[in-house]
Amino acid sequence: MTEFEIRCEHKPSPAKLEVLQVDHWPVWKKEISRFPWHYDQTETCYVLRGRFVVTPEGGEPREFGRGDLISFPAGLACTWEILEPVEKHYRLD
């Protein structure tokens, strides 16, 4: 486990999503693209549709898609590659 570990839970229960109030989080959408990104804050997101690969600086690529609940830690520098248009709920902490 590294300081900048990306955590993912595939298909969390509807009860967990309700407790987190995911439906009340803002929505982010993005077309097929590739771009560098740096997280200034921890982001938790729930993927509604799409498929993408996130490659941490100096790390291994990880693929994510519909039904994933992901936590990106503050300080993480990475590259996003969107393979299918993405729509996700997100929360910044």
Side-chain angles (χ1 to χ4, degrees), residues 32-51:
I32 293 172
S33 56
R34 181 182 168 91
F35 54 92
W37 194 251
H38 183 271
Y39 289 90
D40 295 324
Q41 299 173 284
T42 296
E43 177 185 320
T44 303
C45 66
Y46 180 69
V47 183
L48 299 170
R49 70 181 184 98
R51 209 165 50 90

Side-chain angles (χ1 to χ4, degrees), residues 42-90:
T42 296
E43 177 185 320
T44 303
C45 66
Y46 180 69
V47 183
L48 299 170
R49 70 181 184 98
R51 209 165 50 90
F52 55 96
V53 174
V54 176
T55 306
E57 209 170 71
E60 294 298 313
R62 303 248 333 250
E63 186 169 327
F64 303 102
R66 181 183 174 146
D68 286 342
L69 180 65
I70 312 161
S71 178
F72 297 102
L76 175 70
C78 59
T79 299
W80 272 66
E81 183 174 0
I82 297 179
L83 306 172
E84 296 172 5
V86 169
E87 184 174 340
K88 65 179 178 125
H89 282 292
Y90 71 95

